[in-house]
Structure formats: structure tokens, C-alpha cells
Amino acid sequence: MRFDIITIFPDFFAGPFDFGILKRAHTTGLVQIATHDLRSFTHDRHRTVDDRPFGGGEGMVLKAQPIYEAMKSLNLSPKIGRDKKKETVILLSAQGQPFTQSLAQELSVTERVVILCGRYEGVDERVNELFCDREISIGDYVLSGGELAAAVIVDAVVRLLPGALGNPDSSRFESFGAEEVADRSDSADGPPRSTYGAGGLLDYPHYTRPADFMGVSIPEALSGGNHEAIRRWRRRMALKKTLENRPDLLEKIEITEEDREILAELRGYEE
Ligand code: SAM
């Protein structure tokens, strides 16, 4: 898989891509990440990439011409008829569709992802119309530029590539995992999975040694080695976390009879 990132701050990415899973994926060739300096596609002495907005108002807008030339240098196929499984062009924008785990999954099976990082007031909208397949936001807040958002997307996508994580199950059974509820059946004949959130829930809390830290002990269910007790505790805690922090997610997931009972208990009443 390959990422091409168009930015006015290519050096920004030296940090985020130089550690842990991303660095390993990069150095082993699992992913190629290239940054392209938008200023190299300008032709004036000041290497101007921005200009004042039509209609007036504060701030500056990234010009279309250097972006067009940057895109042209990437030999992309024309937007109309582009095979989005092969290549897709993303405009980062606070006005975009929300970036989610399922979008990360979708991008992780794309051969090439081109990401355009905005700055200032944003990018001339004609760039979006003419070259971009999707406008993506990483959350309901405004960043100073698209670079942090690009790093977030690359990180979330790369860890889903087969071979990126030491244990591939780590990305199957974590928060927002798309894994079916039905796939929670391992406890009968093996140790419980280290992560069990999955099925669209948030992950449950994790603990490691020592069993007692500052007088706070780990939950009893986790210390006895009873796989079924561990499974039930994890499911309960995943439901509790989700109910407390992201109740909206509960509307979207498949709920079992067991989940229904746990949720009724957590809410403090019988359903
Ligand atoms: N005028 C824009 C607005 O009100 O939506 C904000 C522009 S912002 C200061 C500059 C650039 O940062 C944007 O063009 C975009 O590339 C990036 N950006 C800001 N917030 C973002 C977000 N939530 N997700 C993705 N990119 C974002």
C-alpha cells in the first residue's frame, strides 16, 4: 500500500512516522509513505501557495494551481472513472465526513491513498470538485492544518494491514472492531482473547502486574483463570464503557440476550 501526502510542511511527518508500528511497517516495505512539498509546484520567487479569498473575509486560501500540478506529478487517473479500490484522493477538511474505524478498514484495502492537507482557511473548492474522491474530517473541531489529521489516518489504516501488528487479532478485537458478536466463542477451548470489545463496542479496561497498585486491586474475575468468568466480565465492562462514554454506539450493534440483561442491570432496571 502507498500513501502520497501533499502538504506545505513535509518535515512535519518525520516525527509521527518514525516510531513503533508505523516505522516498522515503513522500513519492512509493508507501506510506502511519500510526502510532497506543495511549494515545489509553484513558479514564483516567493513560492506562493495561497491567496486572498474571493468575496473577502479573513484568512488565506490554498490555490488550486500548485495542487493541480502536485496531483499531476502523481500520475493519478482522472477523477471520473477512477477505480477507488486502486487509488483514492482525500481532501482533509473540518467539513468532511467523519473518519471512523470502518472508513479506516475501507482505506486499508486501497492500493494507493493520496491525502491533501489544507492550511489557512482551507483549499480552493475547485480542487475538491475536480480531483478529490472524499472529504474527510477526523473530528468535530478545527485544526490549524491537515497534517495531524493525515498522520491520524495513516496510523489508523496502517495498523490494519496484514502483518503490521505482532498479533493480527489485536486489531480484530479492539474498540469499534467490526467483528461479529457471534465470534465470541473462543472461551470454551482456549484462553480468552486479550481484547474482547469488538462487535462495535468500545474495548473493556485492561490491567497488568502488579495485581495491587496503591491499594487498588485488579478485578477478581481476572485473577482466577476462569475463562467464562473472564469473558463475561469483559463483555460487561465493554458494555459499561460504551453505555457511559458512547451510548450512541449501542444503537448500531447487534445485541444478544446476555447483553440485554447486562445493560438492564447497568441501567439499574429490568428491560
Ligand atoms: N475554514 C475551515 C473551517 O471552518 O472548516 C477551517 C480551516 S483549518 C484552519 C485548515 C485546514 O486544517 C483545513 O483545510 C483542513 O485541511 C485541516 N483541518 C482542520 N480541521 C480538521 C478536521 N477536523 N479534520 C481534518 N482536517 C482538518
mmCIF file of all heavy atoms in Angstrom, residues 91-95 116-123 136-146 149, ligand 1:
data_model
loop_
_atom_site.group_PDB
_atom_site.id
_atom_site.type_symbol
_atom_site.label_atom_id
_atom_site.label_comp_id
_atom_site.label_asym_id
_atom_site.label_seq_id
_atom_site.Cartn_x
_atom_site.Cartn_y
_atom_site.Cartn_z
ATOM 1 N N LEU A 91 -9.421 14.815 0.541
ATOM 2 C CA LEU A 91 -9.188 16.191 0.986
ATOM 3 C C LEU A 91 -9.488 16.231 2.480
ATOM 4 O O LEU A 91 -10.583 15.843 2.905
ATOM 5 C CB LEU A 91 -10.127 17.156 0.243
ATOM 6 C CG LEU A 91 -10.162 18.580 0.802
ATOM 7 C CD1 LEU A 91 -8.811 19.268 0.646
ATOM 8 C CD2 LEU A 91 -11.255 19.403 0.134
ATOM 9 N N LEU A 92 -8.533 16.669 3.276
ATOM 10 C CA LEU A 92 -8.789 16.789 4.710
ATOM 11 C C LEU A 92 -9.484 18.109 4.972
ATOM 12 O O LEU A 92 -9.045 19.158 4.489
ATOM 13 C CB LEU A 92 -7.477 16.703 5.482
ATOM 14 C CG LEU A 92 -6.848 15.328 5.392
ATOM 15 C CD1 LEU A 92 -5.479 15.315 6.032
ATOM 16 C CD2 LEU A 92 -7.751 14.278 6.033
ATOM 17 N N SER A 93 -10.575 18.030 5.741
ATOM 18 C CA SER A 93 -11.382 19.227 5.950
ATOM 19 C C SER A 93 -12.269 19.024 7.167
ATOM 20 O O SER A 93 -12.801 17.926 7.380
ATOM 21 C CB SER A 93 -12.244 19.432 4.695
ATOM 22 O OG SER A 93 -13.381 20.180 4.985
ATOM 23 N N ALA A 94 -12.450 20.099 7.951
ATOM 24 C CA ALA A 94 -13.364 20.015 9.094
ATOM 25 C C ALA A 94 -14.797 19.794 8.608
ATOM 26 O O ALA A 94 -15.666 19.387 9.375
ATOM 27 C CB ALA A 94 -13.269 21.282 9.927
ATOM 28 N N GLN A 95 -15.035 20.050 7.320
ATOM 29 C CA GLN A 95 -16.402 19.881 6.784
ATOM 30 C C GLN A 95 -16.626 18.493 6.187
ATOM 31 O O GLN A 95 -17.667 18.228 5.588
ATOM 32 C CB GLN A 95 -16.640 20.925 5.686
ATOM 33 C CG GLN A 95 -16.437 22.351 6.135
ATOM 34 C CD GLN A 95 -15.525 23.121 5.185
ATOM 35 O OE1 GLN A 95 -15.741 23.135 3.978
ATOM 36 N NE2 GLN A 95 -14.504 23.751 5.736
ATOM 37 N N LEU A 116 -4.536 15.187 0.775
ATOM 38 C CA LEU A 116 -4.222 16.605 0.611
ATOM 39 C C LEU A 116 -4.477 17.332 1.932
ATOM 40 O O LEU A 116 -5.604 17.321 2.450
ATOM 41 C CB LEU A 116 -5.095 17.191 -0.513
ATOM 42 C CG LEU A 116 -5.020 18.702 -0.704
ATOM 43 C CD1 LEU A 116 -3.594 19.154 -1.015
ATOM 44 C CD2 LEU A 116 -5.968 19.132 -1.814
ATOM 45 N N CYS A 117 -3.417 17.932 2.483
ATOM 46 C CA CYS A 117 -3.530 18.645 3.753
ATOM 47 C C CYS A 117 -3.819 20.118 3.498
ATOM 48 O O CYS A 117 -3.020 20.794 2.843
ATOM 49 C CB CYS A 117 -2.219 18.560 4.534
ATOM 50 S SG CYS A 117 -1.675 16.886 4.843
ATOM 51 N N GLY A 118 -4.929 20.599 4.021
ATOM 52 C CA GLY A 118 -5.240 22.016 3.891
ATOM 53 C C GLY A 118 -4.507 22.831 4.938
ATOM 54 O O GLY A 118 -3.926 22.287 5.882
ATOM 55 N N ARG A 119 -4.517 24.128 4.761
ATOM 56 C CA ARG A 119 -3.959 25.091 5.720
ATOM 57 C C ARG A 119 -4.783 26.364 5.621
ATOM 58 O O ARG A 119 -5.646 26.499 4.761
ATOM 59 C CB ARG A 119 -2.492 25.412 5.416
ATOM 60 C CG ARG A 119 -1.528 24.406 5.982
ATOM 61 C CD ARG A 119 -1.161 24.724 7.434
ATOM 62 N NE ARG A 119 -0.743 23.545 8.166
ATOM 63 C CZ ARG A 119 -0.376 23.562 9.441
ATOM 64 N NH1 ARG A 119 -0.370 24.686 10.132
ATOM 65 N NH2 ARG A 119 -0.038 22.454 10.049
ATOM 66 N N TYR A 120 -4.526 27.308 6.455
ATOM 67 C CA TYR A 120 -5.198 28.619 6.438
ATOM 68 C C TYR A 120 -6.723 28.440 6.520
ATOM 69 O O TYR A 120 -7.206 27.644 7.327
ATOM 70 C CB TYR A 120 -4.778 29.434 5.204
ATOM 71 C CG TYR A 120 -3.277 29.355 4.940
ATOM 72 C CD1 TYR A 120 -2.768 28.880 3.729
ATOM 73 C CD2 TYR A 120 -2.363 29.720 5.931
ATOM 74 C CE1 TYR A 120 -1.390 28.804 3.503
ATOM 75 C CE2 TYR A 120 -0.994 29.627 5.716
ATOM 76 C CZ TYR A 120 -0.511 29.171 4.500
ATOM 77 O OH TYR A 120 0.833 29.066 4.282
ATOM 78 N N GLU A 121 -7.478 29.113 5.619
ATOM 79 C CA GLU A 121 -8.941 28.947 5.660
ATOM 80 C C GLU A 121 -9.380 27.669 4.953
ATOM 81 O O GLU A 121 -10.542 27.298 4.974
ATOM 82 C CB GLU A 121 -9.635 30.146 5.002
ATOM 83 C CG GLU A 121 -9.724 31.378 5.872
ATOM 84 C CD GLU A 121 -10.301 31.109 7.245
ATOM 85 O OE1 GLU A 121 -11.342 30.438 7.345
ATOM 86 O OE2 GLU A 121 -9.700 31.574 8.231
ATOM 87 N N GLY A 122 -8.443 27.024 4.294
ATOM 88 C CA GLY A 122 -8.771 25.793 3.571
ATOM 89 C C GLY A 122 -8.255 25.845 2.148
ATOM 90 O O GLY A 122 -7.341 26.607 1.831
ATOM 91 N N VAL A 123 -8.873 25.008 1.303
ATOM 92 C CA VAL A 123 -8.386 24.788 -0.051
ATOM 93 C C VAL A 123 -9.432 25.305 -1.039
ATOM 94 O O VAL A 123 -10.633 25.130 -0.798
ATOM 95 C CB VAL A 123 -8.191 23.254 -0.253
ATOM 96 C CG1 VAL A 123 -7.794 22.925 -1.666
ATOM 97 C CG2 VAL A 123 -7.164 22.717 0.745
ATOM 98 N N ILE A 136 -12.651 14.305 4.199
ATOM 99 C CA ILE A 136 -12.699 13.596 5.486
ATOM 100 C C ILE A 136 -12.304 14.523 6.629
ATOM 101 O O ILE A 136 -11.340 15.284 6.548
ATOM 102 C CB ILE A 136 -11.759 12.366 5.458
ATOM 103 C CG1 ILE A 136 -12.288 11.331 4.463
ATOM 104 C CG2 ILE A 136 -11.624 11.750 6.843
ATOM 105 C CD1 ILE A 136 -11.444 10.067 4.384
ATOM 106 N N SER A 137 -13.076 14.393 7.725
ATOM 107 C CA SER A 137 -12.773 15.125 8.961
ATOM 108 C C SER A 137 -12.415 14.110 10.033
ATOM 109 O O SER A 137 -13.027 13.046 10.109
ATOM 110 C CB SER A 137 -14.016 15.907 9.389
ATOM 111 O OG SER A 137 -13.909 16.268 10.747
ATOM 112 N N ILE A 138 -11.415 14.433 10.865
ATOM 113 C CA ILE A 138 -11.101 13.473 11.946
ATOM 114 C C ILE A 138 -11.853 13.808 13.228
ATOM 115 O O ILE A 138 -11.682 13.130 14.241
ATOM 116 C CB ILE A 138 -9.583 13.352 12.221
ATOM 117 C CG1 ILE A 138 -8.985 14.672 12.721
ATOM 118 C CG2 ILE A 138 -8.843 12.827 11.002
ATOM 119 C CD1 ILE A 138 -7.671 14.449 13.473
ATOM 120 N N GLY A 139 -12.702 14.815 13.228
ATOM 121 C CA GLY A 139 -13.491 15.094 14.429
ATOM 122 C C GLY A 139 -14.104 16.477 14.367
ATOM 123 O O GLY A 139 -13.736 17.301 13.521
ATOM 124 N N ASP A 140 -15.033 16.707 15.251
ATOM 125 C CA ASP A 140 -15.771 17.974 15.237
ATOM 126 C C ASP A 140 -15.004 19.058 15.978
ATOM 127 O O ASP A 140 -15.414 19.519 17.056
ATOM 128 C CB ASP A 140 -17.166 17.781 15.849
ATOM 129 C CG ASP A 140 -18.051 16.937 14.959
ATOM 130 O OD1 ASP A 140 -17.682 16.728 13.782
ATOM 131 O OD2 ASP A 140 -19.107 16.476 15.436
ATOM 132 N N TYR A 141 -13.893 19.442 15.423
ATOM 133 C CA TYR A 141 -13.083 20.539 15.937
ATOM 134 C C TYR A 141 -12.234 21.021 14.764
ATOM 135 O O TYR A 141 -12.122 20.327 13.757
ATOM 136 C CB TYR A 141 -12.172 20.091 17.094
ATOM 137 C CG TYR A 141 -11.613 18.718 16.891
ATOM 138 C CD1 TYR A 141 -10.536 18.511 16.017
ATOM 139 C CD2 TYR A 141 -12.174 17.619 17.526
ATOM 140 C CE1 TYR A 141 -10.033 17.240 15.820
ATOM 141 C CE2 TYR A 141 -11.676 16.343 17.317
ATOM 142 C CZ TYR A 141 -10.619 16.168 16.468
ATOM 143 O OH TYR A 141 -10.124 14.901 16.251
ATOM 144 N N VAL A 142 -11.653 22.205 14.915
ATOM 145 C CA VAL A 142 -10.871 22.758 13.805
ATOM 146 C C VAL A 142 -9.388 22.737 14.156
ATOM 147 O O VAL A 142 -8.973 23.281 15.174
ATOM 148 C CB VAL A 142 -11.331 24.202 13.476
ATOM 149 C CG1 VAL A 142 -10.494 24.789 12.355
ATOM 150 C CG2 VAL A 142 -12.802 24.213 13.094
ATOM 151 N N LEU A 143 -8.605 22.083 13.317
ATOM 152 C CA LEU A 143 -7.145 22.043 13.465
ATOM 153 C C LEU A 143 -6.535 23.172 12.638
ATOM 154 O O LEU A 143 -7.197 23.709 11.751
ATOM 155 C CB LEU A 143 -6.616 20.707 12.945
ATOM 156 C CG LEU A 143 -7.124 19.452 13.646
ATOM 157 C CD1 LEU A 143 -6.802 18.214 12.814
ATOM 158 C CD2 LEU A 143 -6.522 19.331 15.032
ATOM 159 N N SER A 144 -5.279 23.472 12.910
ATOM 160 C CA SER A 144 -4.625 24.533 12.129
ATOM 161 C C SER A 144 -4.269 24.061 10.728
ATOM 162 O O SER A 144 -4.030 24.860 9.831
ATOM 163 C CB SER A 144 -3.324 24.991 12.781
ATOM 164 O OG SER A 144 -3.448 24.998 14.144
ATOM 165 N N GLY A 145 -4.148 22.744 10.561
ATOM 166 C CA GLY A 145 -3.782 22.218 9.253
ATOM 167 C C GLY A 145 -4.112 20.741 9.166
ATOM 168 O O GLY A 145 -4.397 20.093 10.182
ATOM 169 N N GLY A 146 -4.038 20.200 7.954
ATOM 170 C CA GLY A 146 -4.414 18.796 7.753
ATOM 171 C C GLY A 146 -3.332 17.791 8.145
ATOM 172 O O GLY A 146 -3.594 16.581 8.158
ATOM 173 N N ALA A 149 -4.173 15.453 10.989
ATOM 174 C CA ALA A 149 -5.253 14.564 10.534
ATOM 175 C C ALA A 149 -4.704 13.478 9.613
ATOM 176 O O ALA A 149 -5.085 12.306 9.697
ATOM 177 C CB ALA A 149 -6.339 15.375 9.839
HETATM 178 N N1 SAM B 1 -12.135 27.340 7.454
HETATM 179 C C1 SAM B 1 -12.172 25.939 7.808
HETATM 180 C C2 SAM B 1 -13.477 25.616 8.504
HETATM 181 O O1 SAM B 1 -14.020 26.469 9.226
HETATM 182 O O2 SAM B 1 -13.948 24.476 8.350
HETATM 183 C C3 SAM B 1 -11.031 25.566 8.724
HETATM 184 C C4 SAM B 1 -9.711 25.500 8.037
HETATM 185 S S1 SAM B 1 -8.455 24.822 9.047
HETATM 186 C C5 SAM B 1 -7.918 26.193 9.977
HETATM 187 C C6 SAM B 1 -7.149 24.488 7.971
HETATM 188 C C7 SAM B 1 -7.046 23.063 7.454
HETATM 189 O O3 SAM B 1 -6.881 22.186 8.529
HETATM 190 C C8 SAM B 1 -8.234 22.545 6.691
HETATM 191 O O4 SAM B 1 -8.221 22.953 5.347
HETATM 192 C C9 SAM B 1 -8.058 21.045 6.829
HETATM 193 O O5 SAM B 1 -7.185 20.517 5.857
HETATM 194 C C10 SAM B 1 -7.426 20.920 8.197
HETATM 195 N N2 SAM B 1 -8.412 20.556 9.231
HETATM 196 C C11 SAM B 1 -8.912 21.353 10.185
HETATM 197 N N3 SAM B 1 -9.770 20.690 10.970
HETATM 198 C C12 SAM B 1 -9.804 19.420 10.511
HETATM 199 C C13 SAM B 1 -10.509 18.264 10.901
HETATM 200 N N4 SAM B 1 -11.360 18.259 11.921
HETATM 201 N N5 SAM B 1 -10.302 17.114 10.201
HETATM 202 C C14 SAM B 1 -9.446 17.096 9.148
HETATM 203 N N6 SAM B 1 -8.751 18.180 8.740
HETATM 204 C C15 SAM B 1 -8.921 19.330 9.405
#
